[in-house]
Amino acid sequence: MSWWKSFAFRFVALYTTVAVTVVLIGLTALYNREKKEVIDKFGLALETIASTAAPFMQGDLLDAIRANDDAESEAFRTMRAALATVAKENHLADDQAYILRPTDDGAYEFVVMLQTNTFIGDRYSPPDEVAERYAWIVTEKDGVRTDLYTDAHGTFLSGIAPILRRDGSVAGLLQVDYGVDQYLEAVKAERERYLMGLAAMVTLFLAFGVWIHRRLGRDVRALLGGTRAIESEEYDHVVVVGSGDEMAVVAEALNRALAGLKERFEMLKFLPRHTAKMIQAASKLGGVDRTLARRIEVAVFESDIRGFTKISEKLPPENIVSMLNEYIRVQAELIEAAGGSIDKYMGDAVLAIFEGEHKARRAVEAALAIQSAVEEMNAREAFEVPVHIGIGITVGELVMGNMGSDARMEHTVIGSPVNLAARLCSQASPGEIVVSATVREELDDAQGLHFSVSEQIRVKGFAAPIACFRAQGSTADVHPS
């Protein structure tokens, strides 16, 4: 897996993104707060200066000042002295205090200034937001402050107040400025330092994410290997991690899960096919219902070894078990191949059921194959003593359901067909297959299969005599006509 797709790296990247976002929001909020403080603090101070000084200035004198030639006039010197007093008392530079006058065409021009080189009558084109304040002052005759604005000379805050004539009309505007370019440059430099630190933090965090990925990569791959082993049913897999932290705890949990799954997988070998299907269906419904039962029509197959008691007396127990395992293995494979399901093993006996289409024929084919296989094993002396079996087969309706308690259950079949198959099996001589009349009727058209004349037998559990037939043939010959 690519390093940028790892959980560790993505976690650090997410953490970094959140941290960067928070820092950027903080920087923006800090900048806006400082900007507001500057506007509020200096704006109020400038407005106060202009509004306090303007009422003491003689607005009628401004009408006598029209051009630079008037710079030597008494009116200009008087107004300039008043303006200089405002600048001195408030520690303003020469270019921070001046007087403007509205013109007849709606523009504004400089009238009084503190610079040595005067520029009386020069036009001034204020930014729109400042022009709106000028117009408001001319109309309302009151002082105001501006927000931050930028013109050809820089970025400023200003306080502006009207200078009135004796008749109360507006003769000019007293404006005091505070240039904030230096302040903005300082804020910009500080912000750039913050951003450089932020970039370094992001680099550090991303490098940390790569380091975490490399450090945990081996353990994560080991854990992923455990999950893949579960998916592929490789329950012998062991998860090994090198760390002693939470990864080791997860690895131990996975190993316990693998061991438990292996145990359950081995237990499946002891379950009949129909039981495994029931468990699979029940798990989808949330659990096994102990009351579950259904009626089904099946072919019931039962086999056991003739003379097994005498054989067991001659052989040691371990030899008996070995012989039974080989004998039952062959039967199980042939029954499964014919589509049957082994319901249970009862010592040397095997009980199986066949469901679905052609169930009787498949049961007989399995029986013929088993008899042939047993003969072949005897011929090659697979057992210490020859083994011969009898098989009984019948068809009928029985009940399949869950029997037992919540602690120990068995999904099995009950009904008279099960008993009849056992009785027919007991009637079979070594190497014989005894079937009921229902099986005989279903296989009446099977070529290559021969039945004996009907026999009437009395068996335990059945009041009336039971008709049965002894079947002969081979699996290669049995097929519908």
Side-chain angles (χ1 to χ4, degrees):
M1 183 174 64
S2 302
W3 60 268
W4 62 85
K5 293 182 180 180
S6 74
F7 169 78
F9 181 80
R10 286 188 292 174
F11 174 79
V12 173
L14 176 62
Y15 178 81
T16 302
T17 301
V18 172
V20 169
T21 302
V22 171
V23 171
L24 288 175
I25 293 173
L27 286 175
T28 302
L30 179 62
Y31 174 77
N32 290 334
R33 187 184 69 182
E34 292 182 353
K35 177 181 175 181
K36 185 176 184 302
E37 287 179 354
V38 169
I39 293 174
D40 291 344
K41 178 180 178 180
F42 290 99
L44 177 60
L46 294 170
E47 180 184 354
T48 301
I49 292 171
S51 298
T52 301
F56 297 99
M57 294 184 174
Q58 303 176 49
D60 294 284
L61 296 178
L62 296 178
D63 294 334
I65 305 170
R66 292 296 175 182
N68 273 330
D69 293 341
D70 297 324
E72 300 299 326
S73 67
E74 184 65 26
F76 182 82
R77 286 198 296 269
T78 300
M79 295 302 294
R80 184 175 186 178
L83 189 62
T85 299
V86 172
K88 181 178 180 181
E89 290 178 351
N90 294 283
H91 308 288
L92 299 175
D94 289 348
D95 60 351
Q96 288 184 282
Y98 48 89
I99 297 174
L100 297 167
R101 174 171 53 214
T103 62
D104 294 337
D105 59 359
Y108 298 90
E109 63 182 12
F110 290 98
V111 183
V112 181
M113 65 289 301
L114 296 176
Q115 288 91 331
T116 302
N117 296 323
T118 60
F119 41 93
I120 301 169
D122 286 3
R123 291 295 186 102
Y124 173 56
S125 299
D128 291 340
E129 60 268 28
V130 178
E132 291 175 1
R133 301 295 173 92
Y134 288 172
W136 187 88
I137 294 171
V138 171
T139 302
E140 301 297 329
K141 302 176 183 179
D142 197 6
V144 298
R145 75 187 81 168
T146 66
D147 290 328
L148 284 176
Y149 66 92
T150 301
D151 62 13
H153 304 286
T155 302
F156 300 92
L157 278 170
S158 298
I160 311 168
I163 300 174
L164 304 179
R165 299 183 181 91
R166 290 190 186 93
D167 62 4
S169 61
V170 176
L173 306 174
L174 171 61
Q175 182 165 332
V176 290
D177 295 336
Y178 179 78
V180 295
D181 289 301
Q182 186 175 1
Y183 164 76
L184 293 178
E185 286 297 325
V187 171
K188 181 180 178 182
E190 184 177 6
R191 186 169 54 184
E192 288 177 353
R193 286 195 297 271
Y194 277 126
L195 291 175
M196 290 178 63
L198 186 61
M201 181 184 72
V202 170
T203 302
L204 179 63
F205 278 17
L206 293 179
F208 179 68
V210 174
W211 179 77
I212 285 290
H213 165 72
R214 290 179 177 176
R215 182 176 181 273
L216 300 180
R218 183 182 63 181
D219 291 347
V220 171
R221 286 191 294 273
L223 296 178
L224 290 175
T227 60
R228 294 192 184 102
I230 292 175
E231 291 177 348
S232 58
E233 299 182 354
E234 297 174 6
Y235 302 125
D236 288 324
H237 183 86
V238 177
V239 180
V240 179
V241 299
S243 61
D245 53 14
E246 292 86 349
M247 292 294 187
V249 176
V250 176
E252 291 176 4
L254 276 174
N255 286 330
R256 287 195 297 271
L258 285 164
L261 289 171
K262 180 181 180 181
E263 180 181 338
R264 285 161 177 76
F265 182 75
E266 292 297 325
M267 289 173 63
L268 287 176
K269 298 177 182 179
F270 294 88
L271 296 178
R273 178 188 293 177
H274 55 272
T275 301
K277 289 181 179 178
M278 181 277 297
I279 293 174
Q280 184 178 21
S283 65
K284 296 178 180 179
L285 299 175
V288 176
D289 184 0
R290 190 154 56 91
T291 64
L292 178 67
R294 61 189 177 101
R295 288 186 175 275
I296 56 173
E297 184 169 296
V298 298
V300 184
F301 167 108
E302 184 165 326
S303 69
D304 69 359
I305 298 175
R306 307 289 85 152
F308 180 71
T309 302
K310 291 183 178 180
I311 294 175
S312 61
E313 291 174 352
K314 296 179 181 179
L315 299 177
E318 57 273 16
N319 292 21
I320 292 291
V321 171
S322 176
M323 179 191 72
L324 285 177
N325 282 337
E326 179 64 15
Y327 154 74
I328 289 175
R329 179 189 64 79
V330 172
Q331 281 204 76
E333 291 175 355
L334 294 173
I335 289 171
E336 293 285 337
S341 173
I342 296 176
D343 184 72
K344 61 174 65 70
Y345 299 113
M346 302 167 289
D348 63 312
V350 176
L351 175 63
I353 59 173
F354 292 78
E355 298 181 69
E357 191 176 6
H358 307 304
K359 51 187 173 292
R361 187 173 74 243
R362 288 187 286 111
V364 171
E365 288 177 351
L368 292 170
I370 289 170
Q371 292 289 20
S372 177
V374 171
E375 290 178 6
E376 186 274 329
M377 286 190 290
N378 286 332
R380 59 181 172 87
E381 297 182 347
F383 310 124
E384 293 184 48
V385 295
V387 171
H388 302 284
I389 65 171
I391 300 174
I393 304 173
T394 187
V395 172
E397 186 180 71
L398 46 75
V399 176
M400 179 179 288
N402 297 329
M403 310 296 172
S405 67
D406 290 336
R408 172 68 171 86
M409 257 182 241
E410 185 175 347
H411 190 66
T412 188
V413 290
I414 57 175
S416 59
V418 177
N419 297 331
L420 181 56
R423 302 295 179 259
L424 295 175
C425 179
S426 66
Q427 293 293 317
S429 300
E432 282 191 334
I433 303 169
V434 178
V435 302
S436 66
T438 53
V439 175
R440 173 70 176 82
E441 292 171 3
E442 188 169 329
L443 296 179
D444 188 50
D445 61 347
Q447 297 181 0
L449 186 64
H450 307 285
F451 296 97
S452 65
V453 177
S454 174
E455 302 176 28
Q456 298 292 321
I457 60 173
R458 287 190 174 275
V459 295
K460 183 180 179 181
F462 293 85
I466 300 298
C468 65
F469 302 83
R470 301 181 191 274
Q472 294 180 345
S474 68
T475 56
D477 297 330
V478 178
H479 55 85
S481 60

